[in-house]
Amino acid sequence: MTGTAETTTTTTTSTTSTPSAAPAAAPDATDIRPLMASFPSGVSVVTALGADSAPRGMTCSSLASVALDPATLVVCLRTAGPTLRAALDSGHFALNLLHEEARTVSDLFASGSTDRFAHAEWRLPLGAAGPHLTEAALAVADCTVVHTVEIGDHTAVFGRVTRVTHTDGRSPLLYGRRRYARWSAAASGPAPEAEPAPARALPAPALAVPSPVEGQARVGS
């Protein structure tokens, strides 16, 4: 709006007071990161080929199986990331489950590096839905995108599994409480001690019941 600015004169009464300390900011009750940090999971790298045929990929621990028939899984990818764009443009992605020696690969694909694939060994087999991380993955699932749901800063991508390739017999890499762990170490702990079997109750001794005299009534018979 164009016009003459109004000038307002305000009379202020001076009051002397002691400033109080600003209240401490309360923790965000909706931050689910501490909750999910207490839920250890495996680690994967989701890969796809962009429209320019360049490989894209990101570390992902947010995944789950959805159905066995048809075989379907879901991964949650950053909505603004190039990996999601590549998966949607191509209609396919590959899920690389990392083995416990592949921590550096997990860190690489979780970083902001733009040349991630230059520092990781990968190949694109015939019919692959995305790059296979041959040295870091113990298994790879090739998937076709069948549905997506955008929620906030991430998008849930549902993929129909078309092929599963087991590339390595090593144990999976785990992540929880903001640190890595080895499945082989977690599974090598001592077995829980077997609880002693509960003592069997002895049968109560049979009570001797005298035979009734002929002609005598037997109570309860």
Side-chain angles (χ1 to χ4, degrees):
M1 177 183 296
T2 303
T4 304
E6 295 183 355
T7 302
T8 303
T9 302
T10 304
T11 302
T12 304
T13 302
S14 177
T15 304
T16 303
S17 61
T18 302
S20 58
D28 185 359
T30 62
D31 184 0
I32 65 171
R33 287 173 295 183
L35 170 69
M36 299 313 299
S38 299
F39 185 68
S41 66
V43 185
S44 73
V45 172
V46 175
T47 59
L49 292 179
D52 55 358
S53 298
R56 302 283 189 268
M58 63 170 283
T59 300
C60 175
S61 59
S62 298
L63 64 100
S65 60
V66 176
L68 296 178
D69 187 14
T72 307
L73 54 80
V74 61
V75 295
C76 295
L77 306 179
R78 191 163 58 89
T79 300
T83 303
L84 174 64
R85 185 74 267 153
L88 298 183
D89 287 346
S90 66
H92 305 279
F93 66 89
L95 178 70
N96 296 264
L97 298 182
L98 303 187
H99 59 66
E100 60 185 12
E101 304 294 337
R103 173 177 174 174
T104 56
V105 173
S106 173
D107 289 339
L108 172 65
F109 282 86
S111 71
S113 174
T114 57
D115 59 346
R116 302 170 187 179
F117 286 89
H119 301 285
E121 184 171 335
W122 62 280
R123 63 189 182 91
L124 194 66
L126 183 64
H132 289 197
L133 302 178
T134 51
E135 289 298 315
L138 59 88
V140 182
D142 291 299
C143 305
T144 299
V145 177
V146 293
H147 186 58
T148 62
V149 179
E150 182 178 338
I151 303 177
D153 56 2
H154 277 67
T155 297
V157 182
F158 294 80
R160 181 79 50 80
V161 180
T162 58
R163 180 175 64 182
V164 174
T165 306
H166 293 277
T167 61
D168 200 299
R170 283 179 280 189
S171 298
L173 180 66
L174 304 178
Y175 187 78
R177 294 289 178 90
R178 298 181 175 84
R179 59 179 180 152
Y180 293 100
R182 296 169 176 264
W183 171 260
S184 59
S188 64
E193 296 183 3
E195 296 183 1
R200 297 180 60 185
L202 297 176
L207 297 178
V209 180
S211 300
V213 179
E214 186 178 351
Q216 180 181 355
R218 183 173 182 179
V219 178
S221 60

